[in-house]
Amino acid sequence: MKFKFLLLGFFLSVFVNAQNSFELINTKKAVIPFQFINNLIFIPINVNGVDLTFLLDTGVSETILFSLENKELKLENVEKVKFSGLGGSLSIDGLKADRNLGKIGDVIINTSMSLYIIIDEEFNISSHVGIPVNGVIGYHFFKDHLVYIDYLTKKLTVYENPDLLKKKLRKFEEIPITIERDKPYLHADVEMTNEKKESKLLIDLGNSDALWLFPTLIKNFVYNRPNIDDFLGRGFNGDIYGKRSRIHNFYVGSFKFEKPLTAMPDEFSIQHVNLVENRKGSVGSEIMRRFAVVFDYPNKKLYLKKNRHFDDPFHFNMSGLDFRQDGLEWEQDRVKIETKNSSVAINEFSAFQYKFSLKPIFSIAGVRKDSPAYEAGLKKDDRILSINGAKTSDMTLEKIVELMKSNEGRTITMVVQRKNQELTLSFTLEDPIPYQE
């Protein structure tokens, strides 16, 4: 990634952070279209004149920049800092830059935006999302306004005044939350088998799963069976591993979810995380996407209303494969020329023209041991050329993952390139963690 720094000294963090606010300019509400990929929300933010894409994540307190995708960004007032979070390492080095100009469209502006910069270029989620992602934004987007998230229309609405939303909120259920260390928490009931246990959970829009639970922090915790050892995701300090299973029920307010998928990170992955008191885990976007959602940080409230996805089953990637996008390459397509003049002689070669376009390259980032794909012989770094006869260059990363969640018993045939060899391998999708009474 390319950064251009002007080191003009240091400023008191307390003063800068107090001013680190997004304001609505000459409007009472602002609508922001977002991209919704693999249960994650991505919004456009212009920083110091450069258009960037940020993951919207209630699970982070500061605004983080980790990639520029060959863009050049001018930053001032830079100092060294360290990061810690989920993953195995204790901390990673980074930088902090104050007094940046952040703009969302022309009506939401932050004139003193603070950025925390991860300088390790290996930390980059773009290849696992399928679009260029430059950073993560959390608390400072939510802290001063009501934010209405409509997952169906893929639009955020930011309200200057809560009264503007008062009538609409009558149809929502109000859930009390706390804001601790700049992150939102709620109390919900987790029912592993047949006993409800009230649990304090982080509301984590940056987590694409339904639920995370921390076994080492839950008294007398017993893993539901069946369960599998699995790669759970990527944190600031490295890859996160643990187990996946299903629990009997999950309750938030008056809403009930049956047999949700639950991830349980191992002790090593959370050992350096400074957790708030009594936290037991997280509720992620696979739950939140089933609602219209309003965050009201100033008044410590969350509003929920079911949308049409509320009763969707909790599907699992049954292949055992983790995917990544390895950039783009030019691909040649032969296009047939249509002509209405039958008197024109067209030979075999002139009847077609060639079109060149940039297409994505997909490969396997990891294979879960003993999974269907593992048993079929697929390996990490295999380049995927086609799935069930369709070229992957015409797909998106999200489409590929959805295929792996589609139907238990479905046969998946992949053509992959391994070094200079082309292989055709098949496997059958099988849910390794069906809930059992």
Side-chain angles (χ1 to χ4, degrees):
M1 50 186 170
K2 282 171 75 178
F3 290 106
K4 182 178 180 181
F5 297 118
L6 290 179
L7 301 177
L8 299 180
F10 304 119
F11 294 83
L12 290 175
S13 296
V14 174
F15 171 78
V16 174
N17 288 339
Q19 306 299 315
N20 188 5
S21 299
F22 283 92
E23 298 180 3
L24 272 66
I25 306 299
N26 299 323
T27 186
K28 294 182 178 180
K29 69 176 185 179
V31 179
I32 308 169
F34 62 82
Q35 297 184 74
F36 190 59
I37 303 171
N38 295 336
N39 288 341
L40 301 176
I41 293 172
F42 300 92
I43 62 172
I45 303 180
N46 182 288
V47 179
N48 298 343
V50 179
D51 291 328
L52 303 174
T53 298
F54 283 77
L55 167 65
L56 189 65
D57 184 358
T58 50
V60 298
S61 56
E62 300 296 347
T63 305
I64 299 167
L65 191 68
F66 49 74
S67 171
L68 286 178
E69 304 291 338
N70 296 318
K71 296 179 180 180
E72 186 172 288
L73 180 63
K74 183 179 178 181
L75 298 172
E76 301 183 11
N77 313 313
V78 179
E79 60 180 308
K80 291 183 178 180
V81 294
K82 285 186 179 290
F83 297 93
S84 64
L86 286 176
S89 303
L90 179 60
S91 64
I92 56 175
D93 293 325
L95 301 166
K96 180 186 176 186
D98 288 326
R99 290 189 171 181
N100 300 285
L101 176 62
K103 297 175 65 177
I104 305 175
D106 295 321
V107 294
I108 303 179
I109 296 178
N110 184 341
T111 58
S112 56
M113 187 178 187
S114 293
L115 291 171
Y116 287 77
I117 304 145
I118 296 177
I119 57 179
D120 182 355
E121 295 192 27
E122 291 186 6
F123 185 86
N124 189 338
I125 66 172
S126 299
S127 63
H128 297 273
V129 176
I131 63 169
V133 182
N134 306 109
V136 182
I137 189 167
Y139 174 71
H140 296 287
F141 180 82
F142 289 95
K143 70 185 179 76
D144 295 314
H145 305 98
L146 267 70
V147 179
Y148 176 24
I149 303 175
D150 189 334
Y151 286 96
L152 299 184
T153 62
K154 298 180 183 177
K155 291 179 180 178
L156 297 168
T157 306
V158 180
Y159 289 86
E160 178 68 34
N161 189 328
D163 292 339
L164 296 172
L165 201 53
K166 196 171 183 179
K167 186 176 180 180
K168 185 175 289 189
L169 288 179
R170 293 172 187 167
K171 297 181 180 180
F172 286 65
E173 181 169 332
E174 180 182 310
I175 308 289
I177 62 174
T178 59
I179 307 297
E180 301 176 51
R181 298 178 191 166
D182 299 339
K183 301 173 187 178
Y185 294 83
L186 55 72
H187 286 267
D189 289 323
V190 175
E191 187 176 284
M192 296 292 292
T193 52
N194 53 24
E195 180 185 358
K196 287 185 183 180
K197 290 187 177 181
E198 184 178 298
S199 302
K200 182 178 179 179
L201 303 173
L202 170 69
I203 307 169
D204 191 358
L205 295 188
N207 185 337
S208 61
D209 288 325
L211 292 170
W212 277 33
L213 296 176
F214 300 151
T216 56
L217 303 180
I218 300 173
K219 187 177 180 180
N220 300 322
F221 185 90
V222 177
Y223 290 100
N224 281 7
R225 294 184 179 277
N227 59 67
I228 58 171
D229 294 313
D230 201 8
F231 166 75
L232 303 183
R234 291 168 180 83
F236 294 129
N237 300 98
D239 291 342
I240 305 164
Y241 295 91
K243 291 184 180 293
R244 290 190 192 272
S245 185
R246 294 180 189 268
I247 64 172
H248 189 210
N249 290 310
F250 174 68
Y251 305 83
V252 55
S254 66
F255 304 107
K256 174 183 176 182
F257 298 93
E258 297 182 0
K259 303 176 179 59
L261 287 161
T262 304
M264 294 150 285
D266 59 29
E267 185 176 4
F268 181 70
S269 295
I270 67 169
Q271 63 180 330
H272 301 305
V273 183
N274 187 14
L275 299 173
V276 300
E277 186 178 7
N278 295 323
R279 179 184 169 189
K280 305 302 181 187
S282 306
V283 54
S285 288
E286 178 60 26
I287 293 287
M288 302 305 293
R289 73 169 184 87
R290 297 158 189 263
F291 297 98
V293 180
V294 178
F295 283 96
D296 183 357
Y297 277 34
N299 295 301
K300 298 180 176 62
K301 294 177 182 178
L302 175 73
Y303 296 90
L304 301 175
K305 185 179 73 171
K306 291 182 183 179
N307 66 25
R308 65 169 180 261
H309 296 298
F310 184 83
D311 293 318
D312 286 357
F314 291 91
H315 286 307
F316 181 67
N317 178 349
M318 294 175 278
S319 68
L321 295 172
D322 183 32
F323 303 96
R324 67 172 184 261
Q325 181 175 329
D326 294 328
L328 303 167
E329 71 175 1
W330 290 102
E331 184 174 288
Q332 174 181 291
D333 292 320
R334 195 168 73 155
V335 181
K336 188 174 182 179
I337 300 173
E338 299 291 340
T339 179
K340 295 181 180 179
N341 188 349
S342 58
S343 64
V344 177
I346 300 178
N347 61 39
E348 180 183 354
F349 298 100
S350 64
F352 296 91
Q353 66 180 6
Y354 291 91
K355 181 179 71 174
F356 291 86
S357 54
L358 280 172
K359 296 292 184 73
I361 304 167
F362 298 107
S363 61
I364 295 172
V367 187
R368 189 181 73 248
K369 189 177 179 181
D370 299 326
S371 66
Y374 179 89
E375 298 294 342
L378 287 154
K379 295 184 178 181
K380 182 180 179 181
D381 296 327
D382 283 351
R383 177 177 172 179
I384 309 167
L385 303 179
S386 70
I387 301 175
N388 288 357
K391 293 191 302 182
T392 53
S393 58
D394 293 327
M395 297 181 182
T396 62
L397 195 62
E398 186 176 25
K399 176 63 175 177
I400 292 173
V401 173
E402 286 303 314
L403 282 171
M404 303 304 127
K405 294 181 177 181
S406 53
N407 295 301
E408 189 170 16
R410 181 175 187 173
T411 299
I412 300 292
T413 299
M414 287 188 174
V415 178
V416 300
Q417 182 178 320
R418 184 178 300 163
K419 296 183 179 178
N420 296 322
Q421 189 178 13
E422 196 170 293
L423 304 171
T424 301
L425 302 169
S426 297
F427 56 89
T428 301
L429 296 179
E430 180 181 354
D431 185 354
I433 49 175
Y435 181 79
Q436 296 177 0
E437 296 287 351

